[in-house]
């Protein structure tokens, strides 16, 4: 840059949308897969730094990702000047040695303990956004016994933490339409549910989020994380659109989400720099009316699959 010149504007992958009162790039980064780099910590830090360089300004994480390893990498890699919104979640804890790596942690005292754990591992005084993962719907765990906790009790704990300044904003995850409606008075910043071109059961939630200025942040955006789940990359229509555009089927699945609604934010995860670049490039993929019609016609199947 020459003296006196204006710096080039930072890239905004996928353009922008609102998250917890902030304007962010619509393509963020899901940090869970950083755990795969546990033995290559420098690579994990470098990958997250590269994501920021490419315009990522919101990162999704949890204390239970790698039993704190992922949060520790985020703490080292991100700087205050990066101005990155870090979204974490509560509602589950690590389950070392168990059949599944996680166990529900839904009770109010467990939610508070998880918030404190995230504060400590991220090295901050306040968490930008915390998602309450209810485990009511979608693929994954279901609460049983004393883990079946009323929404009002959970929201009371979360709003108290917000009032104390430990949480900036509250999100929800793994919820149905009635739960979201009941939670609206508490002020909800985002909803994370499993959702993809092959699994669109939650269209009514997506529409309510649009009406209420709530960000829609799909996890499992391509499907296939558990046996029996549909996969976007298995769909002939997805492959046909990808071939016509010279991109990958995975990129088409992500691009459809961006085109489907303007309040959708993506948090694709990866432990590979080349794959990271592919994910960021999704923001530049244009889907015309013919491609969108073909993708919209893909049969939607249920993601509501209890695991464990």
């Amino acid at each position: 840059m020459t003296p006196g010149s204006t710096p080039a504007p930072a890239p905004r992958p996928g353009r922008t949308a609102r998250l917890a009162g902030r304007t962010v790039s619509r393509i963020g980064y899901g940090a869970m897969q950083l755990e795969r780099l546990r033995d290559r910590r420098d690579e994990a830090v470098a990958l997250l730094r590269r994501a920021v360089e490419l315009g990522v300004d919101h990162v999704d994480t949890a204390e239970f990702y790698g039993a704190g390893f992922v949060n520790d990498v985020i703490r080292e890699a991100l700087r205050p000047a990066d101005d990155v919104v870090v979204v974490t979640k509560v509602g589950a804890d690590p389950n070392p040695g168990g059949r599944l790596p996680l166990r529900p942690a839904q009770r109010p005292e467990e939610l508070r303990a998880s918030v404190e754990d995230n504060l400590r591992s991220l090295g901050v005084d306040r968490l930008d956004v915390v998602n309450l993962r209810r485990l009511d719907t979608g693929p994954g765990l279901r609460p049983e016994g004393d883990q079946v906790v009323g929404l009002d009790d959970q929201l009371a704990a979360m709003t108290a933490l917000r009032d104390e300044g430990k949480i900036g904003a509250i999100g929800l995850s793994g919820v149905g339409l009635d739960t979201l409606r009941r939670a609206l008075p508490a002020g909800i910043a985002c909803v994370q549910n499993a959702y993809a071109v092959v699994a669109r059961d939650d269209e009514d939630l997506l529409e309510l989020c649009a009406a209420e200025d709530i960000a829609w942040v799909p996890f499992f955006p391509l499907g296939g994380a558990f046996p029996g789940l549909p996969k976007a990359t298995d769909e002939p229509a997805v492959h046909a659109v990808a071939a016509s555009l010279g991109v990958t089927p995975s990129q088409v699945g992500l691009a459809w989400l961006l085109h489907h609604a303007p309040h959708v934010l993506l948090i694709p995860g990866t432990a590979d720099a080349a794959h990271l670049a592919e994910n960021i490039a999704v923001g530049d993929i244009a889907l015309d009316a013919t491609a969108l019609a073909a993708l919209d016609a893909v049969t939607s199947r249920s993601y509501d699959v209890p695991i464990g």
Side-chain angles (χ1 to χ4, degrees):
M1 185 174 68
T2 58
S5 63
T6 302
R12 306 306 295 262
R15 301 191 178 180
T16 62
R18 300 287 288 173
L19 173 62
R22 299 269 296 275
T23 297
V24 298
S25 302
R26 292 182 67 199
I27 301 178
Y29 177 73
M32 182 173 66
Q33 292 195 42
L34 287 177
E35 183 182 359
R36 293 165 51 193
L37 300 175
R38 179 179 291 275
D39 297 329
R40 293 172 283 164
R41 183 188 179 89
D42 289 348
E43 288 186 31
V45 171
L47 184 67
L48 193 50
R49 288 303 313 160
R50 181 57 181 156
V52 172
E53 291 168 2
L54 291 172
V56 165
D57 57 7
H58 61 104
V59 171
D60 178 81
T61 186
E63 167 65 20
F64 53 75
Y65 289 170
F69 171 78
V70 170
N71 276 3
D72 199 40
V73 168
I74 291 171
R75 179 178 183 172
E76 179 177 346
L78 297 185
R79 305 159 188 165
D82 296 325
D83 199 25
V84 172
V85 177
V86 176
V87 182
T88 188
K89 60 189 69 69
V90 296
D93 280 343
N95 186 30
R99 189 171 65 86
L100 295 174
L102 296 177
R103 61 172 181 82
Q106 296 279 300
R107 296 195 305 272
E109 66 272 19
E110 292 174 309
L111 302 180
R112 177 172 285 274
S114 293
V115 165
E116 296 289 354
D117 288 343
N118 278 281
L119 287 166
R120 184 166 46 253
S121 59
L122 288 167
V124 296
D125 296 323
R126 188 185 79 154
L127 302 170
D128 295 328
V129 185
V130 178
N131 286 318
L132 165 59
R133 181 155 288 181
R134 277 277 300 176
L135 309 177
D136 292 337
T137 186
L141 296 168
R142 292 290 185 272
E144 299 176 344
D146 67 354
Q147 287 297 315
V148 179
V149 181
L151 176 67
D152 290 345
D153 291 337
Q154 292 179 320
L155 287 178
M158 298 293 286
T159 54
L161 286 159
R162 187 177 60 192
D163 292 344
E164 293 166 22
K166 294 183 177 183
I167 290 176
I170 298 168
L172 293 174
S173 179
V175 296
L177 184 62
D178 289 344
T179 297
L180 175 57
R181 284 175 173 155
R182 288 174 52 205
L184 288 176
I188 302 301
C190 57
V191 170
Q192 278 193 10
N193 272 20
Y195 180 83
V197 67
V198 291
R200 305 188 300 276
D201 284 353
D202 284 342
E203 201 69 22
D204 49 359
L205 277 89
L206 182 147
E207 292 173 0
L208 179 57
C209 285
E212 297 289 340
D213 193 27
I214 295 170
W216 181 259
V217 191
F219 67 88
F220 297 160
L222 298 173
F226 294 127
L229 293 186
K231 296 181 182 180
T233 53
D234 286 344
E235 293 297 322
V238 173
H239 279 266
V241 171
S244 71
L245 296 174
V247 298
T248 70
S250 293
Q251 287 178 306
V252 168
L254 295 175
W256 177 85
L257 288 163
L258 288 179
H259 283 73
H260 189 58
H263 63 304
V264 170
L265 300 179
L266 298 184
I267 48 170
T270 182
D272 177 79
H275 189 203
L276 172 67
E278 286 185 1
N279 290 339
I280 297 297
V282 165
D284 296 324
I285 295 175
L287 299 177
D288 63 19
T290 300
L292 285 172
L295 296 171
D296 289 345
V298 169
T299 300
S300 174
R301 283 143 287 171
S302 178
Y303 260 180
D304 196 14
V305 181
I307 305 295

